Amino acid sequence: MIELATVLKLLHVLGATVLLGTGAGIAFFMVMANRTRDARAIAHVAQTVVIADFIFTASAVLLQPVTGWLLARTGSYPLTEGWIGLSLVLYLLVGACWLPVVWIQIQMRNLARAAADDHAPLPDRYDRLYRVWFYLGFPAFAGVIAIIWLMLAKPSVAIGF
């Protein structure tokens, strides 16, 4: 018989994998599309990226705290345990980066669509948004990697909760 804790661990690891993998895939495809400077290609890729973020990333974002909380309960870990508390803080940091990124992706898609429809170059606003999108990715990826490390290592961390 499969234990509940094993199922929860599997779901939690799958959620973390989806967050990291989808994020990396989205970043790669958006960067590659942006390099073309082809508004039609960028609009198409950005549309796919927005859909992927809503289907995959959003699902994992919702799954992670639920499975994490259930794992903490089944493993008798208090949520104030140092590594869990630090993971939660990092999760909020990642979310604070991801939420504007989703909005930015939608804006970049819309700007690229408009430029493609008008047979015009990408506007300066697109480039400004792209830079913000690009730089928000670094703390988000670092945060997800750090959370995965904390989840695996469970180090003794004193953070004063």
Side-chain angles (χ1 to χ4, degrees):
M1 174 160 269
I2 299 174
E3 293 183 27
L4 176 61
T6 303
V7 172
L8 291 172
K9 285 178 188 176
L10 175 64
L11 292 173
H12 201 65
V13 169
L14 287 173
T17 304
V18 167
L19 284 176
L20 188 61
T22 303
I26 283 171
F28 175 78
F29 289 113
M30 280 300 294
V31 168
M32 297 307 288
N34 185 70
R35 289 176 51 144
T36 70
R37 303 301 294 167
D38 178 339
R40 191 165 307 286
I42 292 169
H44 177 73
V45 170
Q47 176 62 29
T48 303
V49 159
V50 167
I51 293 168
D53 246 346
F54 279 104
I55 292 172
F56 300 108
T57 310
S59 298
V61 163
L62 296 173
L63 178 70
Q64 288 307 98
V66 172
T67 57
W69 179 74
L70 290 170
L71 279 168
R73 284 185 49 115
T74 61
S76 299
Y77 289 107
L79 295 180
T80 55
E81 179 86 21
W83 66 271
I84 294 175
L86 184 53
S87 294
L88 292 170
V89 168
L90 288 170
Y91 193 75
L92 293 174
L93 169 76
V94 170
C97 293
W98 178 68
L99 287 173
V101 158
V102 173
W103 179 84
I104 290 169
Q105 288 169 174
I106 292 167
Q107 299 305 306
M108 290 187 327
R109 177 202 61 198
N110 294 346
L111 291 167
R113 268 189 195 156
D117 290 346
D118 294 343
H119 303 286
L122 294 165
D124 291 340
R125 182 165 184 260
Y126 171 88
D127 292 319
R128 286 191 303 274
L129 286 168
Y130 176 81
R131 281 191 297 278
V132 173
W133 174 87
F134 184 84
Y135 288 115
L136 281 172
F138 289 99
F141 275 111
V144 171
I145 291 168
I147 291 167
I148 291 170
W149 180 81
L150 288 165
M151 183 174 63
L152 294 173
K154 297 178 182 60
S156 176
V157 179
I159 56 173
F161 284 111

